[in-house]
Amino acid sequence: MSLILCKKHGEVGLIPTVSAMLSHGIKQETVIADDIGITHIKLIDEGELLGEKIYFFHNKFDNLKPFYLIDDDKSDQYFSQEISQIFSGGGHCVYCFKEYMEQIKFDLNNLPAPSGLTI
């Protein structure tokens, strides 16, 4: 996990799977729970599950599918192209993200895969 220097929490973990537009909206406190979309990623290599991840994005500005299966170079390249613009400049302080999600009552407990919100 990367570290950032948060104005509120000091040196803390960064959740990199938050889109730039969602992060901006959270900082401006303009995001509501219905604005948040998630994308579930499954990484498979030679039939073996390597991992799963959740990406968070802003429904009004970002356009992602709800699920991506990455099981070869072609699907990996396709996914990388899909997210490159959306997540460039994104990421958010883990504590700020969790606090804001609680504030707007977005349930982080029932996600289909790990979210990277380990503190």
Side-chain angles (χ1 to χ4, degrees):
M1 176 181 284
S2 300
L3 294 176
I4 62 165
L5 188 57
C6 173
K7 291 179 182 178
K8 182 177 180 183
H9 297 105
E11 189 174 342
V12 67
L14 168 78
I15 176 173
T17 55
V18 175
S19 77
M21 290 304 294
L22 180 57
S23 182
H24 178 73
I26 290 170
K27 289 174 186 170
Q28 300 297 315
E29 297 187 0
T30 58
V31 174
I32 60 172
D34 288 343
D35 292 339
I36 301 170
I38 62 167
T39 280
H40 178 195
I41 311 303
K42 272 193 178 184
L43 302 165
I44 295 178
D45 186 27
E46 296 182 8
E48 181 181 340
L49 179 64
L50 297 179
E52 297 179 82
K53 199 179 269 191
I54 295 292
Y55 284 72
F56 299 91
F57 61 93
H58 199 301
N59 279 325
K60 292 181 182 176
F61 302 105
D62 305 323
N63 186 20
L64 292 174
K65 298 176 197 172
F67 177 75
Y68 290 84
L69 176 64
I70 300 173
D71 58 355
D72 58 22
D73 288 340
K74 185 177 177 181
S75 60
D76 184 32
Q77 185 178 27
Y78 174 77
F79 179 69
S80 294
Q81 288 174 341
E82 288 275 294
I83 68 164
S84 64
Q85 293 284 4
I86 295 170
F87 288 86
S88 179
H92 212 81
C93 164
V94 172
Y95 287 109
C96 289
F97 186 77
K98 286 177 108 173
E99 288 172 4
Y100 194 79
M101 295 302 108
E102 283 181 14
Q103 179 184 325
I104 64 171
K105 307 219 181 324
F106 185 88
D107 186 8
L108 292 170
N109 295 314
N110 295 310
L111 299 172
S115 62
L117 289 168
T118 308
I119 296 177

